[in-house]
Amino acid sequence: MEPQGRGVSESPRIEWAEGGLQRDARWRSEAAVPPPRRVQVVDDTLPADTAYRLASEGTGLLWRSDFQNARQLLQAMARRADRKPRKPPPPPSSPAEAFHLHRQAQGQRSRVLGKVLVELEGDYRIALPRAPDLRAACAQAWGPPDGRPSVASLRELLGLVGAFEWRRKGVAIPALGAAPGNRIHPHYGVFSPVRGEYLDLIAAAPLPSRELAFDIGTGTGVIAALLARRGVQRVVATDQDPRALACARENFARLGLQDRVELLEADLFPPGRAPLVVCNPPWLPARPSSPLEHAIYDEGSRMLRGFLAGLANHLAPQGEGWLILSDLAEHLGLRTREELAGWITAARLRVVARDDMRPSHPKVQDASDPLHAARAREVTSLWRLGHGVTQQ
Ligand SMILES: C[S@@+](CC[C@H](N)C(=O)[O-])C[C@H]1O[C@@H](n2cnc3c(N)ncnc32)[C@H](O)[C@@H]1O
């Protein structure tokens, strides 16, 4: 059982002994990692090897000296985590095994590095020498402070800072037009279109209609915005995640599209039919290891299959459903092309056309990436689907 709040709140608590006193505080983890059961109060006299060993054993290291030295310790621990083992393990027997081993190793790495902990004051200030002011970044990700101290992993805090910067600067989306303001500002925890090449497929495909479109699982709102910019008069965009809805709303307002795009909290489709229904589901069928991975991994292809199964009921008679999907899952042995084709047929749909492109992001070139062989063959497609022959 995780230690829970004592009537103060439902959030998990972390407990530790310090200066002869028993202390506790709210535990913050957006990745839903439970608080460590053992916590040691540490400072910059702790050697990196010892820190790495303790963290590998599951001990939380509550940092009580210079903030920048804690960052350095984290880097030193990361180098240890990334060291090649002296005796290399046998090569994986299949791409699917390589994928699962890779995720396992990533999970283990983040569990260990997540053990360096920092206490935040009730207003998100960090009372350590040379600590930056992270109040705005914390408030953006976690909501306004509640006046009570809390503890979080340093790694998560640094992630919040990165997300804060992305949100402030935004991501340039060339498909939205050349003007400098054509940027999408992703919120913390919302799928970011940094690898936005698939948007070029959406920008180039012939529109079946300019009257109405649905964008299923809108995330930052980027696809809905792109369709509106291409001249679609009305777009209805859905998502289930409140952070995505807030993010998309802000992006539509920033781009001056708020009157043409309607946002709806919905499981997949809004009511009714549209001549164009677009969806970019997570591309890999695997279990998300934290709530933050829900936009990357789609366990059992739930969203993909739900979109395909419901599409015919939400598509106008001559309409097109546009499915954005990479075939990386096929190269990793997690899904077959036959399965996908079977779901399309079973949903009484037919493939009108398919536009393909090869991703050009740096990972494709990285031969040291354990998934390199699969990534090097990856193709991203826009599947244009229409009503198929009604089965008797
Ligand atoms: C891969 S992201 C794509 C986001 C955006 N369309 C884009 O292309 O950048 C998938 C999105 O679908 C949302 N989502 C997942 N399941 C959903 C469901 N059942 N109904 C609506 N949205 C869902 C997620 O919250 C996430 O924002």
Side-chain angles (χ1 to χ4, degrees):
M1 282 272 292
E2 290 170 25
Q4 290 298 313
R6 296 168 185 150
V8 179
S9 83
E10 288 307 304
S11 328
R13 314 272 311 164
I14 177 167
E15 299 177 352
W16 70 97
E18 186 168 15
L21 293 174
Q22 199 57 31
R23 289 210 41 206
D24 77 325
R26 176 178 180 170
W27 168 249
R28 292 187 184 274
S29 167
E30 285 295 321
V33 175
R37 289 167 188 282
R38 278 188 311 276
V39 176
Q40 201 166 309
V41 174
V42 299
D43 58 26
D44 33 24
T45 58
L46 181 73
D49 281 333
T50 313
Y52 187 70
R53 179 180 52 76
L54 287 168
S56 304
E57 292 164 1
T59 302
L61 308 171
L62 183 58
W63 189 256
R64 291 301 195 203
S65 14
D66 183 278
F67 184 90
Q68 300 305 330
N69 289 351
R71 291 181 69 144
Q72 283 186 11
L73 174 70
L74 200 58
Q75 283 166 10
M77 289 169 70
R79 284 194 295 277
R80 282 156 179 80
D82 296 338
R83 259 182 209 154
K84 295 259 175 295
R86 246 172 271 150
K87 188 165 168 269
S93 60
S94 66
E97 195 191 338
F99 172 71
H100 292 301
L101 289 173
H102 174 61
R103 286 198 76 208
Q104 232 173 43
Q106 279 184 322
Q108 171 64 7
R109 183 181 194 274
S110 77
R111 270 190 296 280
V112 173
L113 300 183
K115 290 292 184 296
V116 180
L117 313 179
V118 170
E119 184 173 7
L120 299 122
E121 314 265 297
D123 61 355
Y124 295 145
R125 238 180 265 266
I126 300 171
L128 297 175
R130 288 205 292 160
D133 182 352
L134 303 186
R135 283 176 296 169
C138 292
Q140 245 184 25
W142 293 334
D146 62 7
R148 286 190 281 265
S150 54
V151 171
S153 88
L154 174 61
R155 200 157 178 257
E156 173 155 339
L157 278 172
L158 298 176
L160 297 191
V161 177
F164 183 74
E165 283 305 305
W166 274 113
R167 176 165 166 179
R168 193 175 59 76
K169 284 195 257 168
V171 179
I173 306 288
L176 283 178
N182 283 328
R183 300 176 83 83
I184 285 287
H185 297 255
H187 286 197
Y188 179 71
V190 177
F191 183 84
S192 162
V194 258
R195 254 191 72 182
E197 300 131 320
Y198 65 90
L199 297 168
D200 296 337
L201 291 172
I202 299 179
L207 287 171
S209 156
R210 287 176 194 271
E211 191 192 325
L212 170 68
F214 294 163
D215 175 18
I216 309 303
T218 195
T220 56
V222 64
I223 293 179
L226 177 49
L227 294 174
R229 277 285 160 85
R230 285 198 61 191
V232 177
Q233 288 311 304
R234 206 175 136 244
V235 184
V236 183
T238 69
D239 211 292
Q240 277 188 315
D241 175 4
R243 278 182 170 148
L245 293 165
C247 173
R249 182 164 292 113
E250 201 178 283
N251 279 312
F252 298 146
R254 219 186 263 264
L255 294 165
L257 297 170
Q258 67 277 19
D259 297 337
R260 292 182 34 216
V261 187
E262 185 187 329
L263 262 173
L264 210 65
E265 181 170 354
D267 181 2
L268 298 171
F269 299 93
R273 291 177 185 267
L276 175 59
V277 185
V278 185
C279 182
N280 174 23
W283 291 348
L284 294 174
R287 183 198 293 237
S289 59
S290 90
L292 296 174
E293 288 187 347
H294 274 287
I296 306 168
Y297 299 113
D298 181 22
E299 191 173 14
S301 299
R302 183 191 169 275
M303 187 175 182
L304 168 61
R305 296 172 71 170
F307 171 73
L308 291 172
L311 182 57
N313 283 336
H314 291 89
L315 202 56
Q318 303 305 318
E320 280 188 18
W322 289 1
L323 170 67
I324 315 291
L325 199 63
S326 119
D327 64 359
L328 184 63
E330 295 174 22
H331 301 305
L332 291 171
L334 304 175
R335 185 180 62 229
T336 63
R337 178 57 60 106
E338 291 68 35
E339 272 177 295
L340 179 61
W343 297 334
I344 292 174
T345 315
R348 296 174 183 187
L349 300 165
R350 71 189 166 86
V351 179
V352 176
R354 202 187 73 221
D355 305 332
D356 293 341
M357 64 167 304
R358 284 197 165 271
S360 60
H361 58 95
K363 272 251 150 121
V364 177
Q365 322 292 341
D366 178 4
S368 68
D369 171 12
L371 307 182
H372 176 68
R375 287 199 213 274
R377 292 159 65 204
E378 181 179 7
V379 171
T380 304
S381 303
L382 190 164
W383 295 75
R384 292 171 46 203
L385 306 169
H387 285 285
V389 183
T390 310
Q391 286 167 355
Q392 298 300 312

